[in-house]
mmCIF file with all atom_site columns, all heavy atoms in Angstrom:
data_model
loop_
_atom_site.group_PDB
_atom_site.id
_atom_site.type_symbol
_atom_site.label_atom_id
_atom_site.label_alt_id
_atom_site.label_comp_id
_atom_site.label_asym_id
_atom_site.label_entity_id
_atom_site.label_seq_id
_atom_site.pdbx_PDB_ins_code
_atom_site.Cartn_x
_atom_site.Cartn_y
_atom_site.Cartn_z
_atom_site.occupancy
_atom_site.B_iso_or_equiv
_atom_site.pdbx_formal_charge
_atom_site.auth_seq_id
_atom_site.auth_comp_id
_atom_site.auth_asym_id
_atom_site.auth_atom_id
_atom_site.pdbx_PDB_model_num
ATOM 1  N N   . HIS A 1 14 ? 113.924 144.946 109.960 1.00 0.00 ? 26 HIS A N   1
ATOM 2  C CA  . HIS A 1 14 ? 114.544 143.765 109.346 1.00 0.00 ? 26 HIS A CA  1
ATOM 3  C C   . HIS A 1 14 ? 113.733 142.518 109.668 1.00 0.00 ? 26 HIS A C   1
ATOM 4  O O   . HIS A 1 14 ? 113.566 142.163 110.836 1.00 0.00 ? 26 HIS A O   1
ATOM 5  C CB  . HIS A 1 14 ? 115.978 143.600 109.859 1.00 0.00 ? 26 HIS A CB  1
ATOM 6  C CG  . HIS A 1 14 ? 116.660 142.375 109.343 1.00 0.00 ? 26 HIS A CG  1
ATOM 7  N ND1 . HIS A 1 14 ? 117.019 142.226 108.012 1.00 0.00 ? 26 HIS A ND1 1
ATOM 8  C CD2 . HIS A 1 14 ? 117.024 141.226 109.960 1.00 0.00 ? 26 HIS A CD2 1
ATOM 9  C CE1 . HIS A 1 14 ? 117.592 141.041 107.853 1.00 0.00 ? 26 HIS A CE1 1
ATOM 10 N NE2 . HIS A 1 14 ? 117.598 140.415 109.018 1.00 0.00 ? 26 HIS A NE2 1
ATOM 11 N N   . LYS A 1 15 ? 113.227 141.861 108.634 1.00 0.00 ? 27 LYS A N   1
ATOM 12 C CA  . LYS A 1 15 ? 112.428 140.651 108.846 1.00 0.00 ? 27 LYS A CA  1
ATOM 13 C C   . LYS A 1 15 ? 113.351 139.444 108.989 1.00 0.00 ? 27 LYS A C   1
ATOM 14 O O   . LYS A 1 15 ? 113.977 139.020 108.013 1.00 0.00 ? 27 LYS A O   1
ATOM 15 C CB  . LYS A 1 15 ? 111.465 140.448 107.678 1.00 0.00 ? 27 LYS A CB  1
ATOM 16 C CG  . LYS A 1 15 ? 110.500 139.287 107.906 1.00 0.00 ? 27 LYS A CG  1
ATOM 17 C CD  . LYS A 1 15 ? 109.644 139.025 106.680 1.00 0.00 ? 27 LYS A CD  1
ATOM 18 C CE  . LYS A 1 15 ? 108.419 139.908 106.644 1.00 0.00 ? 27 LYS A CE  1
ATOM 19 N NZ  . LYS A 1 15 ? 107.506 139.517 105.528 1.00 0.00 ? 27 LYS A NZ  1
ATOM 20 N N   . ALA A 1 16 ? 113.423 138.885 110.194 1.00 0.00 ? 28 ALA A N   1
ATOM 21 C CA  . ALA A 1 16 ? 114.301 137.743 110.446 1.00 0.00 ? 28 ALA A CA  1
ATOM 22 C C   . ALA A 1 16 ? 113.560 136.425 110.249 1.00 0.00 ? 28 ALA A C   1
ATOM 23 O O   . ALA A 1 16 ? 114.161 135.420 109.847 1.00 0.00 ? 28 ALA A O   1
ATOM 24 C CB  . ALA A 1 16 ? 114.864 137.814 111.866 1.00 0.00 ? 28 ALA A CB  1
ATOM 25 N N   . LEU A 1 17 ? 112.256 136.382 110.555 1.00 0.00 ? 29 LEU A N   1
ATOM 26 C CA  . LEU A 1 17 ? 111.427 135.192 110.330 1.00 0.00 ? 29 LEU A CA  1
ATOM 27 C C   . LEU A 1 17 ? 110.194 135.613 109.552 1.00 0.00 ? 29 LEU A C   1
ATOM 28 O O   . LEU A 1 17 ? 109.580 136.640 109.860 1.00 0.00 ? 29 LEU A O   1
ATOM 29 C CB  . LEU A 1 17 ? 110.992 134.562 111.662 1.00 0.00 ? 29 LEU A CB  1
ATOM 30 C CG  . LEU A 1 17 ? 112.071 134.038 112.596 1.00 0.00 ? 29 LEU A CG  1
ATOM 31 C CD1 . LEU A 1 17 ? 111.420 133.459 113.850 1.00 0.00 ? 29 LEU A CD1 1
ATOM 32 C CD2 . LEU A 1 17 ? 112.938 132.989 111.923 1.00 0.00 ? 29 LEU A CD2 1
ATOM 33 N N   . ASP A 1 18 ? 109.816 134.789 108.580 1.00 0.00 ? 30 ASP A N   1
ATOM 34 C CA  . ASP A 1 18 ? 108.704 135.135 107.695 1.00 0.00 ? 30 ASP A CA  1
ATOM 35 C C   . ASP A 1 18 ? 107.670 134.014 107.689 1.00 0.00 ? 30 ASP A C   1
ATOM 36 O O   . ASP A 1 18 ? 107.784 133.060 106.937 1.00 0.00 ? 30 ASP A O   1
ATOM 37 C CB  . ASP A 1 18 ? 109.243 135.385 106.273 1.00 0.00 ? 30 ASP A CB  1
ATOM 38 C CG  . ASP A 1 18 ? 108.164 135.875 105.326 1.00 0.00 ? 30 ASP A CG  1
ATOM 39 O OD1 . ASP A 1 18 ? 107.032 136.125 105.770 1.00 0.00 ? 30 ASP A OD1 1
ATOM 40 O OD2 . ASP A 1 18 ? 108.467 136.006 104.127 1.00 0.00 ? 30 ASP A OD2 1
ATOM 41 N N   . ASN A 1 19 ? 106.714 134.100 108.606 1.00 0.00 ? 31 ASN A N   1
ATOM 42 C CA  . ASN A 1 19 ? 105.543 133.207 108.591 1.00 0.00 ? 31 ASN A CA  1
ATOM 43 C C   . ASN A 1 19 ? 105.950 131.725 108.662 1.00 0.00 ? 31 ASN A C   1
ATOM 44 O O   . ASN A 1 19 ? 105.617 130.936 107.772 1.00 0.00 ? 31 ASN A O   1
ATOM 45 C CB  . ASN A 1 19 ? 104.708 133.487 107.341 1.00 0.00 ? 31 ASN A CB  1
ATOM 46 C CG  . ASN A 1 19 ? 103.324 132.866 107.420 1.00 0.00 ? 31 ASN A CG  1
ATOM 47 O OD1 . ASN A 1 19 ? 102.807 132.633 108.509 1.00 0.00 ? 31 ASN A OD1 1
ATOM 48 N ND2 . ASN A 1 19 ? 102.735 132.591 106.275 1.00 0.00 ? 31 ASN A ND2 1
ATOM 49 N N   . ILE A 1 20 ? 106.652 131.374 109.744 1.00 0.00 ? 32 ILE A N   1
ATOM 50 C CA  . ILE A 1 20 ? 107.132 129.992 109.941 1.00 0.00 ? 32 ILE A CA  1
ATOM 51 C C   . ILE A 1 20 ? 106.058 129.159 110.634 1.00 0.00 ? 32 ILE A C   1
ATOM 52 O O   . ILE A 1 20 ? 105.532 129.562 111.676 1.00 0.00 ? 32 ILE A O   1
ATOM 53 C CB  . ILE A 1 20 ? 108.397 129.978 110.825 1.00 0.00 ? 32 ILE A CB  1
ATOM 54 C CG1 . ILE A 1 20 ? 109.494 130.876 110.263 1.00 0.00 ? 32 ILE A CG1 1
ATOM 55 C CG2 . ILE A 1 20 ? 108.893 128.541 111.023 1.00 0.00 ? 32 ILE A CG2 1
ATOM 56 C CD1 . ILE A 1 20 ? 110.132 130.378 109.024 1.00 0.00 ? 32 ILE A CD1 1
#
Side-chain angles (χ1 to χ4, degrees):
H26 177 69
K27 186 185 275 187
L29 298 180
D30 185 6
N31 194 25
I32 305 289

